[in-house]
């Protein structure tokens, strides 16, 4: 009542709202994907890595116990003609030649890789089933109508899911794998120090854990590109299938492969009878497995070292292969079709 009345006809200043920048909206979409799938993105690789670490430490303790038992029964450790009483690893380390140290480095690299595999194994299944439900679940629970009412384009929505499956999920799995490697190496260092060895030059001096960590992080873009055909196919099935996208995603490629293998249609155009399985169907269904055709060739050779297999130049040489770029183009095309389908397919 004490306030002075505003003159009649005085224009009321309008409120202005700052428009949300597209990058901010996309960041919010990525955050939404994380919170809705935090169990698979964060907890699953963390729990898998924790179980792997416990098993690795358990095997280490069991190995030390068996070694102590062998020493207690009178067995002696011999190396290069030198007999070492008990478990004096310091004396044993002094007898190692350069070749022995090289073999120890390779064995340590392989051991660290094995200790870090569990988060990656979980990542394979998390990424696969995430893609299958990424667009189908919104239609099934009708929440797609709510998301379409927001000022968010279908392209941004689908691309946020592509980034999540190709970059975010592998990044979390890689970070947990690196943590597991460091934790296991610390456990090895404690065991070595307890038995008279200096773990710094013996276990940390070769830099295997740091090299593997850098290689794992550097490999994420390579496997993101390798995963695109599988991500595109699964997202396409997720956007198209009225029900059971898992069955459609499997049955269509498998039926196509069986038909071409039984009829020999590919031989008419000069291709091997089973060519489709290794070059098309595997790329549609197995792209979440972080192993490229080049990696398979290394594994089949049986003579390559782990550090060579995951070297940065070797990994990025995948981009020199035509199959990589053909897969990328196919994945982009299928993702574009999935975006188009999401614009009109709203039924559950």
């Amino acid at each position: 009542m004490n306030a002075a009345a505003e003159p009649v006809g005085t224009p009321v200043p309008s409120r202005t709202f700052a428009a949300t920048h597209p990058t901010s909206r996309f960041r919010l979409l990525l955050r939404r994907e994380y919170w809705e799938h935090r169990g698979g993105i964060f907890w699953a690789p963390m729990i898998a890595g924790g179980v792997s670490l416990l098993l690795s430490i358990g095997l280490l303790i069991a190995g030390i116990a068996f070694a102590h038992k062998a020493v207690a029964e009178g067995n002696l450790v011999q190396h290069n003609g030198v007999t070492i009483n008990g478990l004096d690893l310091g004396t044993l380390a002094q007898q190692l030649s350069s070749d022995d140290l090289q073999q120890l480095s390779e064995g340590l690299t392989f051991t660290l890789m094995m200790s870090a595999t569990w988060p990656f194994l979980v990542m394979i299944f998390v990424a696969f089933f995430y893609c299958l439900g990424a667009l189908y679940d919104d239609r099934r629970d009708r929440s797609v109508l709510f998301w379409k009412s927001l000022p968010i384009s279908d392209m941004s929505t689908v691309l946020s899911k592509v980034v999540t499956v190709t970059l975010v999920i592998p990044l979390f799995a890689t970070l947990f794998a690196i943590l597991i490697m460091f934790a296991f190496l610390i456990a090895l260092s404690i065991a070595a120090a307890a038995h008279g060895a200096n773990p710094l030059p013996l276990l940390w001096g070769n830099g295997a854990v740091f090299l593997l960590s850098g290689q794992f992080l550097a490999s994420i873009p390579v496997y993101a590109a390798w995963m695109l055909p599988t991500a595109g196919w699964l997202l396409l099935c997720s956007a198209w299938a009225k029900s059971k996208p898992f069955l459609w995603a499997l049955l269509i490629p498998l039926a196509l492969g069986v038909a071409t293998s039984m009829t020999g249609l590919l031989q008419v155009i000069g291709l091997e009878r089973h060519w489709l399985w290794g070059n098309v169907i595997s790329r549609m269904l197995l792209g979440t497995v972080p192993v490229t055709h080049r990696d398979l060739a290394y594994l089949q050779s049986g003579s390559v070292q782990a550090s060579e297999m995951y070297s940065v130049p070797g990994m990025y040489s995948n981009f020199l292969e035509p199959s990589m770029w053909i897969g990328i183009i196919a994945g982009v095309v299928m993702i574009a079709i999935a975006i188009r389908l999401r614009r009109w397919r709203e039924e559950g």
Side-chain angles (χ1 to χ4, degrees):
M1 295 297 294
N2 295 329
E6 296 182 356
V8 178
T10 302
V12 179
S14 60
R15 296 182 179 180
T16 59
F17 298 91
T20 305
H21 196 272
T23 56
S24 300
R25 288 198 295 267
F26 194 78
R27 187 168 61 250
L28 291 175
L29 286 173
L30 290 177
R31 189 175 300 175
R32 169 214 172 188
E33 296 299 323
Y34 172 77
W35 285 111
E36 288 189 353
H37 303 89
R38 183 171 50 175
I41 296 175
F42 181 85
W43 291 108
M46 186 189 72
I47 294 173
V51 173
S52 172
L53 179 61
L54 291 177
L55 290 176
S56 300
I57 294 177
L59 291 175
L60 175 63
I61 294 174
I64 294 174
F66 281 123
H68 278 285
K69 182 179 178 181
V71 171
E73 293 175 353
N75 296 324
L76 301 176
V77 179
Q78 292 185 351
H79 183 77
N80 292 338
V82 179
T83 301
I84 303 171
N85 296 319
L87 290 176
D88 187 0
L89 297 182
T91 305
L92 179 61
Q94 294 176 359
Q95 307 299 323
L96 296 179
S97 63
S98 58
D99 292 337
D100 295 330
L101 292 175
Q102 179 65 27
Q103 293 179 2
L104 176 63
S105 176
E106 294 176 4
L108 179 62
T109 301
F110 181 78
T111 302
L112 292 175
M113 286 179 58
M114 291 298 100
S115 68
T117 54
W118 282 37
F120 293 123
L121 291 176
V122 170
M123 177 196 72
I124 294 172
F125 297 97
V126 170
F128 187 92
F129 288 101
Y130 168 83
C131 286
L132 280 177
L135 301 176
Y136 172 75
D137 291 343
D138 286 348
R139 291 187 292 115
R140 183 181 58 181
D141 58 21
R142 310 296 291 178
S143 63
V144 65
L145 300 176
F146 167 74
W147 292 108
K148 282 181 174 292
S149 67
L150 299 179
I152 301 173
S153 66
D154 295 304
M155 178 180 292
S156 298
T157 301
V158 176
L159 289 182
S160 69
K161 299 177 185 297
V162 173
V163 171
T164 298
V165 73
T166 58
L167 294 177
V168 177
I169 293 177
L171 177 61
F172 274 92
T174 301
L175 291 178
F176 283 119
I178 292 173
L179 289 176
I180 295 307
M181 288 195 302
F182 273 93
F184 183 62
L185 191 58
I186 291 174
L188 284 176
S189 301
I190 294 174
H195 293 86
N198 185 357
L200 292 179
L202 193 64
L203 300 177
W204 297 84
N206 58 4
V209 66
F210 302 103
L211 178 62
L212 280 177
S213 299
Q215 289 174 342
F216 284 168
L217 290 172
S219 68
I220 292 178
V222 178
Y223 292 116
W226 179 258
M227 194 191 302
L228 275 181
T230 300
W233 169 246
L234 297 179
L235 287 172
L236 177 60
C237 293
S238 182
W240 167 77
K242 292 184 178 180
S243 64
K244 301 177 179 61
F246 175 75
L247 293 180
W248 287 109
L250 288 182
L251 290 179
I252 294 177
L254 294 181
L256 183 62
V258 171
T260 54
S261 296
M262 293 181 63
T263 59
L265 291 176
L266 295 179
Q267 293 177 315
V268 177
I269 57 176
L271 296 177
E272 196 265 338
R273 178 184 292 267
H274 305 295
W275 179 88
L276 204 67
W277 291 96
N279 296 276
V280 177
I281 298 175
S282 63
R283 297 296 305 276
M284 294 172 67
L285 298 178
L286 301 178
T288 58
V289 180
V291 178
T292 66
H293 287 162
R294 175 189 168 277
D295 297 333
L296 288 176
Y298 271 119
L299 293 174
Q300 291 173 357
S301 66
S303 60
V304 69
Q305 299 177 4
S307 57
E308 295 178 357
M309 176 178 173
Y310 287 98
S311 65
V312 175
M315 286 185 298
Y316 279 84
S317 66
N318 284 287
F319 289 106
L320 300 177
E321 299 182 4
S323 60
M324 172 68 91
W325 290 102
I326 294 173
I328 292 174
I329 294 172
V332 170
V333 170
M334 288 186 285
I335 290 170
I337 298 174
I339 294 173
R340 188 70 179 177
L341 286 174
R342 191 180 185 273
R343 291 178 179 174
W344 59 269
R345 200 170 185 84
E346 299 177 359
E347 72 277 7

